Amino acid sequence: MRNKIIDRAKEHVGRLLEQQLDRIERIKTGEKVIDYLQIQPIIVGIIGGDGIGPYIANEAQRVLEVLLANELSSGKIEFRIIEGLTIEKRAEVNKPIPEDILEEIKQCHVTLKGPTTTPRKGDPWPNIESANIALRKELDLYANVRPVRVPKDGIDWTFFRENTEGAYALGSNGIDVTDDLAVDFTVTSTQGSKRIIRLAFEYARRNNINKLTIVTKANVVKTTDGKFLKIGQEIAKDYPEVEADDWYIDIMTAKLIDPKRRKQFKVLVLPNLYGDILTDEAAELQGGVGTAGSANIGDKYSMFEAIHGSAPRMVEEGRAKYADPCSMIRAGAMLMNHIGFEDRARKLGMALDITSQFEKKLVNTGRDTGATGREFCDYLLDTINDSNLKEKWKLYQ
Ligand code: IPM
Ligand code: MG
């Protein structure tokens, strides 16, 4: 009996290892890094998602339409609205991303994506994999870049979260060995670690940031986190001007709320799950997860999104229109930056800082005690059009 159980588990693990070794071969082959200057039109897919997604995606689209008006009318940029990445449709076809929608997404160079509901055990939906995770894997979006800034507290962090490996690589492929024994897997590859860590160091170098922190739990999770840390320390030698240190995730979560110590952190690179958790904590310090955007970068495709989920409860309670659109608009700024419109991205970032952190003439509370997303967005657009935008922003630095 026991032999049979173990054989079944071994076969399962064997299949997973095959898939992972294939994936590593694909990373080794590599994709050419896309050059947006050479592309016309740059196709930007806009995916509403579900829950509050379509509401906040819509506001982000309005902002981009204003800031990219010239390029949209000259044909340098094209927007494509991609409908149907909803939990209902995904449940109907029992796939994290329906085939036709995946095809549409692959026709775009970059996408702006609203949150999508991730079914949990016990939900009325089939237990399909998260659309986010599936897209990250499918499009090989290996870097999840999440900036968090709170100027008044001296906080200016950029997290580089590994986005295709760690506990997420096989998060839906664990095994119930028996009724009593469940096993999940975590995966770290040399190639996967190198590319994210190098990207983080390159970012530090390019932006004259002299500090980079590698976060793991390598004292306990010795093999996979140990590998990530060791590779990080090796790569650090190529960047002598960037001071690299390493912290364990537990004490890191503590230090992020230590007003004296947290200022020292600048660029942080970390495996998937730790990055997931730490960036929510960091975003909370900035004003909540509703305020933070996130870039999922690969060599060929990139996807920009909010860091939070679809908040179905807000929709059920009729509060969707009060959802804070800042996360999606920040994601839109990151998208513009990524495709070569750095100045306009900076301008939008400043306007967001002014409206949501400094001036706060309107505040989103997620309910009728605050502004609607639409009202907030109108306020933001007025701020963008203010000829004193830069001076205003400087006042608060
Ligand atoms: C995020 C989200 C996702 C994640 C969920 C929705 C699967 O929390 O982007 O941080 O865990 O990566
Ligand atoms: Mg998260």
Side-chain angles (χ1 to χ4, degrees):
M1 182 62 188
R2 191 172 272 198
N3 277 350
K4 251 203 189 136
I5 290 171
I6 291 179
D7 281 347
R8 192 180 69 97
K10 277 185 184 163
E11 269 169 40
H12 180 94
V13 175
R15 278 193 300 274
L16 297 182
L17 295 179
E18 286 285 349
Q19 288 164 13
Q20 290 303 308
L21 290 170
D22 287 348
R23 186 177 64 81
I24 292 170
E25 287 311 312
R26 287 197 298 276
I27 304 181
K28 282 189 195 162
T29 320
E31 288 276 358
K32 243 180 83 205
V33 178
I34 189 163
D35 177 5
Y36 296 100
L37 283 175
Q38 306 297 325
I39 296 173
Q40 169 131 2
I42 302 172
I43 304 174
V44 178
I46 300 183
I47 307 170
D50 49 36
I52 58 170
Y55 294 81
I56 58 177
N58 211 282
E59 299 310 320
Q61 185 185 337
R62 277 175 71 208
V63 175
L64 294 191
E65 274 166 1
V66 170
L67 284 164
L68 298 171
N70 288 341
E71 288 71 20
L72 284 166
S73 63
S74 74
K76 168 73 188 159
I77 295 180
E78 182 188 321
F79 281 180
R80 285 202 192 150
I81 310 301
I82 301 176
E83 312 259 8
L85 192 63
T86 58
I87 184 66
E88 290 80 10
K89 170 121 193 228
R90 290 157 54 220
E92 190 187 303
V93 297
N94 204 7
K95 285 204 167 128
I97 318 159
E99 290 296 335
D100 51 333
I101 293 174
L102 182 59
E103 267 324 296
E104 272 185 74
I105 293 173
K106 285 186 173 172
Q107 301 300 316
C108 302
H109 298 103
V110 293
T111 45
L112 183 66
K113 177 189 154 297
T116 41
T117 302
T118 303
R120 282 179 298 197
K121 271 201 169 135
D123 276 358
W125 314 108
N127 199 16
I128 41 179
E129 189 181 39
S130 135
N132 287 37
I133 297 173
L135 272 173
R136 292 168 187 167
K137 286 187 196 164
E138 187 65 44
L139 308 179
D140 200 23
L141 309 173
Y142 59 85
N144 194 320
V145 186
R146 299 184 158 181
V148 168
R149 289 183 65 244
V150 189
K152 70 172 170 37
D153 297 334
I155 292 175
D156 192 351
W157 299 322
T158 309
F159 295 89
F160 284 78
R161 165 187 176 189
E162 201 293 320
N163 213 19
T164 49
E165 303 199 336
Y168 281 63
L170 298 170
S172 301
N173 300 100
I175 172 163
D176 283 310
V177 179
T178 64
D179 282 347
D180 297 327
L181 178 63
V183 180
D184 266 315
F185 305 95
T186 186
V187 172
T188 299
S189 74
T190 302
Q191 290 71 16
S193 306
K194 275 188 179 165
R195 60 184 183 175
I196 180 75
I197 295 169
R198 225 170 244 294
L199 198 74
F201 272 103
E202 283 294 320
Y203 174 86
R205 171 173 280 174
R206 237 188 5 263
N207 293 284
N208 293 317
I209 300 170
N210 60 1
K211 175 90 181 172
L212 185 146
T213 303
I214 306 163
V215 184
T216 65
K217 187 71 190 179
N219 52 340
V220 176
V221 188
K222 291 189 192 290
T223 312
T224 46
D225 280 7
K227 186 179 191 63
F228 192 89
L229 177 57
K230 184 159 161 276
I231 291 174
Q233 288 166 336
E234 279 301 310
I235 291 178
K237 293 181 190 154
D238 295 340
Y239 299 83
E241 77 278 27
V242 182
E243 185 206 319
D245 63 356
D246 88 277
W247 288 71
Y248 296 134
I249 182 65
D250 49 350
I251 188 67
M252 191 73 227
T253 58
K255 288 302 153 197
L256 277 202
I257 52 171
D258 174 343
K260 283 195 292 293
R261 293 305 286 278
R262 64 185 175 195
K263 290 184 199 156
Q264 80 179 63
F265 303 112
K266 302 280 182 227
V267 177
L268 300 97
V269 64
L270 60 182
N272 211 335
L273 183 58
Y274 308 141
D276 177 48
I277 296 167
L278 205 64
T279 54
D280 267 14
E281 186 193 7
E284 196 63 28
L285 296 168
Q286 178 181 267
V289 291
T291 64
S294 160
N296 298 270
I297 312 279
D299 290 335
K300 184 170 183 192
Y301 298 104
S302 292
M303 183 180 95
F304 299 81
E305 62 182 353
I307 78 162
H308 55 78
S310 60
R313 200 178 313 149
M314 287 188 75
V315 182
E316 280 157 32
E317 294 171 6
R319 296 189 283 118
K321 66 176 180 184
Y322 296 105
D324 185 348
C326 283
S327 53
M328 279 300 281
I329 301 174
R330 286 250 177 228
M334 296 179 89
L335 185 153
M336 283 197 294
N337 183 58
H338 188 71
I339 61 174
F341 298 93
E342 291 91 351
D343 287 351
R344 275 173 262 182
R346 207 167 306 125
K347 189 171 172 186
L348 176 53
M350 285 180 186
L352 277 165
D353 288 349
I354 294 172
T355 50
S356 67
Q357 286 204 26
F358 309 144
E359 199 180 69
K360 292 183 167 179
K361 281 191 188 158
L362 290 180
V363 178
N364 293 114
T365 59
R367 48 191 75 242
D368 60 9
T369 52
T372 62
R374 171 59 47 108
E375 286 160 352
F376 180 84
C377 189
D378 288 338
Y379 166 39
L380 179 74
L381 286 171
D382 286 345
T383 309
I384 291 171
N385 290 327
D386 184 339
S387 51
N388 287 324
L389 173 75
K390 262 202 189 121
E391 287 67 34
K392 240 188 191 176
W393 185 81
K394 280 198 188 124
L395 278 183
Y396 293 105
Q397 297 309 298

